Each structure stands twice: as structure tokens, then as C-alpha cells.
Amino acid sequence: MSGPPIFDAAFLERFDTLLRWRRDVRHFAATPIAERDLQTLLEAAALAPSVGNAQPWRFVRVRTPAVRAGLAAHVDAENARAAGGFADEARREAYRALKLHGLREAPEMLAVFCDERPAAGHGLGIATMPEMLRYSCVTAIHTLWLAARARGIGVGWVSILDPAAVGTLLDVPQDWTLIALLCLGYPAAPSETPELERRGWQAREPLADRLFER
């Protein structure tokens, strides 16, 4: 019987590189994702930890052109609304200049929902923190994200939207909560530096500013 795998220094160095190159992608090439590769990413996501082993993630692959168009139009409208919320004109114009989604060009669109009443898990771990179900879905998304980047596939998380409107457009059960709307595809121009940093919106700040001891 073989023991657990050994992750040597070379693997750890490559894993650290993977973390640095995991980017939120908004610019996609037209190259489609092979069906087997997409299934591999979903299978990887399903390996994520979850509270009570409830596996509350629910993936909706958006394939209908009219639904994709409806989601893109909705996000565009919400983007325009959000731009109006910036009182500073320079910041408002900088916001408008950003490309905040690739819903029209990304080869794949995936919505991730949390089933707030999963049968699996039998309620373990959520009596005092029911939000753990949603946190579990986020771990699945991050797992998928790393698995995608390791294969050269980019992921973009679209968050400027109305979750209820997206749920209605995708006709999902009422007890499912939207966690993420994701664009997937091969990046048009991969970069180690986040786009928002490259565009001068926000740089990464020191970890020391966010680390506390008690």
C-alpha cells in the first residue's frame, strides 16, 4: 500500500508560481475549451472541502445564446449604474474605462449557486454558521480557478450584477443563492500582474497591513 504523495521543493516552487499567475481574466481568445477539459475542471472543483461534506455547490453551464445575451445586457446595465455611484469624476471615468467582464467573448459561462438546504451533510456545522455553506462554494470556485490556470485556462469572476435577476434568468430553485458568475476561456494576453493593478485602479497592498495578533 503506497503512502501519501511527497510534494518536493520543485513542486512547491511551481505551486507558488501557479498562485502568482492566477488572475481574474476579462480578455479571452476565441479558442474553445475542450469538453473533457471543462469536465476535468468541474471534477476538480468537486474535490473542494465543504461543511459537513454537504457539497452545496450547484453549477449551471450557460449555453443558450439568448440567455448569455440577457446576462451580458444585465451586467452592462448594472455596470452603468455602478459608475454613477462614484462622486469623483476622475474615478468615475477610470471605472468606465475598465473592462469588467468577458461575458460576450468567453467560450464558456458558468454560474455557481449554493443550495441553502442540501440533503447531504445532514446539517452538520451550520447550526450557528449557516453561511459556511456559501463559504464551501467559494472554496470550490477557487479550486476550479487553480485547476484552470494550471491548464492555461483563465477565469473571470463577474460580480457587478443583481443575484436575484441572474437566478431568474437561469430559472434556478428559489433556495439556491448565487455565489458567482464565471467566464472561462484561454486568456488573450496572460499576465502575472492583476489587470486592475496594471490599469492603476488598485495595487496589491502588504500582507503586514492585514495581519493581526491578539
Side-chain angles (χ1 to χ4, degrees):
M1 183 176 181
S2 63
I6 302 299
F7 301 110
D8 60 16
F11 173 87
L12 296 178
E13 183 177 355
R14 291 179 66 79
F15 182 72
D16 289 343
T17 300
L18 172 63
L19 295 179
R20 286 194 298 273
W21 276 85
R22 191 248 8 110
R23 297 273 62 85
D24 191 319
V25 177
R26 291 93 183 273
H27 305 269
F28 294 93
T31 308
I33 299 175
E35 188 67 24
R36 180 60 237 168
D37 288 340
L38 182 61
Q39 291 303 313
T40 296
L41 298 186
L42 293 171
E43 290 166 5
L47 295 175
S50 63
V51 62
N53 206 21
Q55 304 147 78
W57 41 77
R58 305 291 182 261
F59 301 106
V60 178
R61 187 177 176 187
V62 183
R63 309 187 74 177
T64 306
V67 176
R68 283 188 60 127
L71 287 168
H74 168 71
V75 172
D76 284 345
E78 291 300 319
N79 272 338
R81 190 195 313 274
F86 291 98
D88 180 76
E89 183 177 354
R91 179 63 71 174
R92 184 168 60 250
E93 292 308 310
Y95 177 90
R96 287 174 172 157
L98 296 172
K99 180 176 174 56
L100 296 176
H101 71 79
L103 292 171
R104 290 184 173 85
E105 60 267 34
E108 295 286 343
M109 187 189 302
L110 195 68
V112 184
F113 290 85
C114 177
D115 185 344
E116 303 286 357
R117 302 170 188 260
H122 310 288
L124 177 66
I126 60 174
T128 57
M129 289 187 67
E131 62 269 27
M132 285 298 295
L133 290 169
R134 300 182 187 182
Y135 298 161
S136 298
C137 294
V138 174
T139 66
I141 293 166
H142 192 245
T143 302
L144 180 148
W145 210 325
L146 293 179
R149 185 62 194 87
R151 292 165 173 81
I153 298 170
V155 178
W157 188 328
V158 183
S159 61
I160 306 172
L161 45 72
D162 177 358
V166 173
T168 298
L169 281 166
L170 296 179
D171 191 26
V172 300
Q174 290 189 349
D175 53 2
W176 288 12
T177 299
L178 180 70
I179 304 299
L181 182 61
L182 305 176
C183 302
L184 291 86
Y186 292 94
S191 174
E192 181 182 5
T193 306
E195 180 171 351
L196 292 182
E197 186 170 347
R198 298 198 310 271
R199 300 291 296 274
W201 182 267
Q202 175 65 57
R204 188 175 297 281
E205 297 186 345
L207 171 61
D209 293 349
R210 287 158 172 75
L211 179 62
F212 305 92
E213 295 185 5
R214 295 290 186 267

